[in-house]
Amino acid sequence: MHIDRYERLFLYAAVALLVVFMGALAVSSFAFGIRVPTAYEQVDPRTVATPPSPWGLPEAERMRELSPGRYEVYVLAQMWQFTPRTIIVPKGSQVTFYVTSRDIQHGFKIANTNVNMMALPGEVGVLSATFDTPGTYNVICHEYCGALHHTMFGQIVVEESGAER
Ligand code: CUA
């Protein structure tokens, strides 16, 4: 079958581009560890706020220190608040957020970090961030969730005191 020279070059170029894109995908996935956020696990939104569910614990017990400087925190979203609303960690902490909703769709975004996900009833979203710079990081609900959506926020307070650990 005769294929025109330019058409053949074009076919080669298209295949070469595909190889480049697949390579970029492999590098970002394996070398840089970039992952698309997906549901970590399923929960029942009707019982998720009741012990022994970790989202049913008192606010003060929602955060656990797993090892020095490494925390996990269970954040529950509902109309129109996050609990715990304020999370306090020392500078340099690596915090993993387990986020779900007990009612409708919310969002969970921490300003100046890569933490940005939906909070969905029945699904648990998980993302981590390392807080090297002391200060207050605002947490906002960025999915419209009704009349008081704009009042739904929280904060991460990163304290200087982490230095002497
Ligand atoms: Cu919750 Cu908007």
Side-chain angles (χ1 to χ4, degrees), residues 16-80:
L17 262 183
L18 275 178
V19 170
V20 168
F21 291 153
M22 292 297 285
L25 208 62
V27 168
S28 62
S29 177
F30 296 111
F32 296 112
I34 294 171
R35 296 279 182 278
V36 175
T38 54
Y40 172 76
E41 66 171 328
Q42 313 278 317
V43 289
D44 185 342
R46 290 166 299 185
T47 56
V48 75
T50 313
S53 160
W55 293 271
L57 295 172
E59 280 193 40
E61 295 167 33
R62 265 340 149 72
M63 185 165 80
R64 283 197 286 242
E65 186 169 17
L66 303 173
S67 61
R70 289 183 57 121
Y71 297 86
E72 64 177 16
V73 52
Y74 289 82
V75 177
L76 186 66
Q78 66 187 89
M79 291 186 283
W80 286 279

Side-chain angles (χ1 to χ4, degrees), residues 77-82 103-108 119 140-146 148-153:
Q78 66 187 89
M79 291 186 283
W80 286 279
Q81 60 177 325
F82 294 110
D103 44 36
I104 61 168
Q105 165 187 307
H106 298 277
F108 184 82
I140 57 165
C141 174
H142 62 329
E143 296 280 347
Y144 182 70
C145 56
L148 297 183
H149 158 70
H150 62 286
T151 67
M152 186 166 171
F153 62 91

